[in-house]
Amino acid sequence: MALIPFFAMVRKDLLIFFSDRRSVIVSFVAPIAIASFFGAVFSGTGGDSQPTRIAVAIVDVDRSVISRGIVSGAQADEDLAVTTPDEVQARASVRVGEIPVAVVIPPGFGDAAGLAFLAGAEQPSLDLLFDPSKRMELAMVRGVLTQHVMQAVSREMFGGAEGQRLVEQALPQVQASTTMPEEERQRLTTLLTAVGQFNLQRNDSPAGEPPQGLTMPYVVREQAITSGENAEYNGYAHSFAGMAIQFLLFAMASLGVEMLLERQRGLWRRLRSAPVSKATLLSAKVASGALISLLILFVSFAFAMVVFGVRVNGSVGGFVLIAIGCALMASTFGLLVAALGNSPATARGITTLAVLMMVMLGGAWVPTFVFPAWLQEATRVVPVRWAVDGFDAMTWRGLGLNAALMPTLVLCGFAMLFAAIAFSRFRWEEG
C-alpha cells in the first residue's frame, strides 16, 4: 500500500472535517451538552445530597385521629413531599401534571380501618388519584403509604381512646355474630377483651411513652458495590459514553454520505485513473474516520472529567483499547454507508434510523436494565451495547484490563465485518 497517497488522503479528510464549523460543533459540542443533561437526570444521589422526594397531595376528608396520624407520618417521611390541599385542588394538580399522585382519605376511614384491623370487618378504601404517565411514582407511594396506615391504625387500636371506643363497638358485634364459627368467635372475643383491658390500663396509668403502633420489623442497610472504595457510581460516565458514541456514529455516517457525494461528482473515477488502489483509498478513509472518532471520545470524556468528576477507576489501558475498538467500529460503519448507499439522500435517511436504533438498544440513552429481560439479551448483538458496557467497566465500575478485552474484541469484530462488506461492495462509479 502506497503510504504517501494514504497519508495525503487522511490529511485531506481531517482538513475537510475541521473546515466545516457546523460539523465540528455537532460532533463535539452536541454530545457534551446532551450527555450533561442525561447525566444530571440519571446520576442519582450520593454523598450528602438529599434524595429526590415524590410530590404527593393528601386530602384528609375523614379528620379522625387515625387519618391525622397517617398524614403526619407521611409528612415526616423522607421519600415524600406532602401537601394537604382540598380534593378539588388535588384533582386539578394531578390533571395538569403538577403532582403524580393524590391520596384521598374518605369519611369514616379511621373507624372502618380500626374495625377491619380488630374484627376482620369490611376493609375501607383509600382513593389514589394518579397521573397515568407516572405509574412508577404511584407504585412507590402505594408502598410507602402502607407503612404509615398500618402504624397509625395499630397505634390507635393499642392505646388510643379511639381504639378503646372501637373495641367496645366491635365486641358486641362479634359476640352476636351468627356466621362466624364458634371457636373463632370465642378466640376473637378473648382477644378484643384483652385489648380493651390493655387500653383501659394504659389510659389510667401515669403518662408515659405514647404508643408507637406496628412498625417495620427490620431495617435496610444499603451498600453500593463497586470494585473498591474509590470507585463510586457516576451517572455522567455512562451518559458521556453513550452520547459520544451516538455522535461519532453520526459523524462517520456523514463521512460515508460525503463519499457518496464525491462519487456522484465523479471524483472516484478520476482517482481510479491515478496510481491509488482501492485498498489504499478505503484504508485511508478508515484511518481518518477512526482519528476523528477518537477525538470525539477523548474530548467528551476530558470535559466530563474536568467538569463532572468522571474518573477512569479501572484500567487506563483498557479504556484506551475500548476507545480504539469503538473508533474502528464507527469508522468502518461510515465506510459501510458509502459502500451500500445508492444515493446520498437515501443513505441519510437509512443511516439516521440505523444509528438511532443502535444507540437506543445499546443503552446509550438509558441503561439497558430498564429494558425487558428478552430485549436485554437481544441487545448483545448491537455493537453500541458492548462499547457502553465497556466504558462503564473502565470508569465507575473500576474493573481491570480483563474486563476490557471482550468488549474490545467484539467491537473489532464488528469493525472487521463492516470493513469486509464495504471492501467487497464498494463501487467506483454509480450503478
Side-chain angles (χ1 to χ4, degrees):
M1 183 174 65
L3 292 181
I4 293 178
F6 173 84
F7 287 116
M9 285 186 285
V10 170
R11 180 175 179 273
K12 183 264 296 182
D13 287 338
L14 292 176
L15 290 174
I16 291 175
F17 176 77
F18 284 105
S19 65
D20 187 345
R21 182 179 301 176
R22 184 174 60 181
S23 176
V24 173
I25 291 175
V26 170
S27 300
F28 289 94
V29 178
I32 289 173
I34 298 177
S36 299
F37 169 77
F38 275 102
V41 172
F42 294 107
S43 61
T45 57
D48 297 328
S49 58
Q50 294 296 320
T52 302
R53 295 189 171 195
I54 301 174
V56 57
I58 301 183
V59 182
D60 184 7
V61 183
D62 187 31
R63 299 291 181 181
S64 65
V65 176
I66 289 177
S67 65
R68 290 197 298 269
I70 295 171
V71 175
S72 62
Q75 289 175 328
D77 197 299
E78 65 179 10
D79 294 320
L80 303 178
V82 177
T83 57
T84 55
D86 60 35
E87 186 171 352
V88 174
Q89 293 173 328
R91 286 182 178 272
S93 296
V94 174
R95 185 178 296 112
V96 300
E98 291 180 355
I99 57 173
V101 184
V103 182
V104 179
I105 306 177
F109 177 85
D111 285 0
L115 291 173
F117 181 83
L118 290 172
E122 183 179 356
Q123 298 171 326
S125 299
L126 277 178
D127 296 329
L128 298 183
L129 316 175
F130 67 96
D131 184 333
S133 67
K134 299 177 180 178
R135 289 184 176 273
M136 185 176 296
E137 287 90 337
L138 171 66
M140 295 180 66
V141 169
R142 187 192 300 120
V144 172
L145 204 60
T146 299
Q147 174 187 350
H148 298 301
V149 172
M150 283 297 299
Q151 189 166 359
V153 172
S154 61
R155 180 173 58 238
E156 188 60 27
M157 293 306 100
F158 297 118
E162 188 71 13
Q164 178 60 25
R165 181 182 67 80
L166 291 176
V167 168
E168 294 172 353
Q169 178 182 338
L171 189 56
Q173 296 177 1
V174 171
Q175 291 172 337
S177 174
T178 58
T179 59
M180 190 178 300
E182 178 63 26
E183 184 177 355
E184 183 178 340
R185 184 169 67 249
Q186 291 178 357
R187 290 178 178 174
L188 191 53
T189 299
T190 302
L191 173 63
L192 291 177
T193 302
V195 171
Q197 292 174 350
F198 173 80
N199 288 340
L200 289 173
Q201 291 174 358
R202 188 177 187 92
N203 292 333
D204 291 340
S205 62
E209 290 291 329
Q212 296 299 314
L214 299 179
T215 59
M216 297 292 287
Y218 64 92
V219 295
V220 175
R221 291 186 298 174
E222 298 179 351
Q223 182 180 5
I225 301 299
T226 58
S227 63
E229 295 181 359
N230 295 326
E232 296 182 356
Y233 174 67
N234 189 329
Y236 289 100
H238 179 89
S239 64
F240 270 84
M243 290 303 104
I245 293 168
Q246 172 176 321
F247 279 89
L248 67 87
L249 283 171
F250 275 126
M252 295 304 100
S254 296
L255 287 181
V257 172
E258 183 63 29
M259 290 181 67
L260 290 175
L261 289 172
E262 291 175 349
R263 187 181 69 186
Q264 198 174 62
R265 300 185 190 110
L267 177 61
W268 298 125
R269 187 169 57 252
R270 293 195 296 270
L271 281 176
R272 189 179 183 183
S273 62
V276 178
S277 66
K278 182 169 72 172
T280 301
L281 168 66
L282 298 185
S283 297
K285 288 293 182 181
V286 171
S288 59
L291 288 175
I292 294 172
S293 298
L294 283 174
L295 279 174
I296 294 173
L297 286 171
F298 289 152
V299 169
S300 297
F301 272 104
F303 181 90
M305 291 174 183
V306 172
V307 178
F308 297 112
V310 173
R311 294 291 178 266
V312 180
N313 292 313
S315 169
V316 175
F319 180 88
V320 173
L321 284 177
I322 294 173
I324 293 173
C326 186
L328 289 172
M329 180 273 296
S331 181
T332 52
F333 172 76
L335 199 65
L336 187 66
V337 171
L340 300 182
N342 292 322
S343 67
T346 304
R348 282 193 184 97
I350 295 175
T351 54
T352 298
L353 177 61
V355 170
L356 291 177
M357 289 297 295
M358 281 198 294
V359 297
M360 179 181 67
L361 295 176
W365 291 347
V366 294
T368 54
F369 66 80
V370 303
F371 296 166
W374 66 270
L375 188 56
Q376 292 185 37
E377 293 300 318
T379 56
R380 294 186 182 278
V381 299
V382 179
V384 177
R385 165 74 184 274
W386 291 92
V388 172
D389 287 352
F391 282 125
D392 281 351
M394 295 302 103
T395 53
W396 67 267
R397 290 193 187 278
L399 302 182
L401 180 62
N402 289 339
L405 297 181
M406 182 56 71
T408 302
L409 290 174
V410 172
L411 290 170
C412 289
F414 275 106
M416 293 174 63
L417 175 64
F418 293 161
I421 297 174
F423 274 64
S424 64
R425 296 291 302 275
F426 183 81
R427 303 189 308 275
W428 289 97
E429 301 179 3
E430 290 192 271

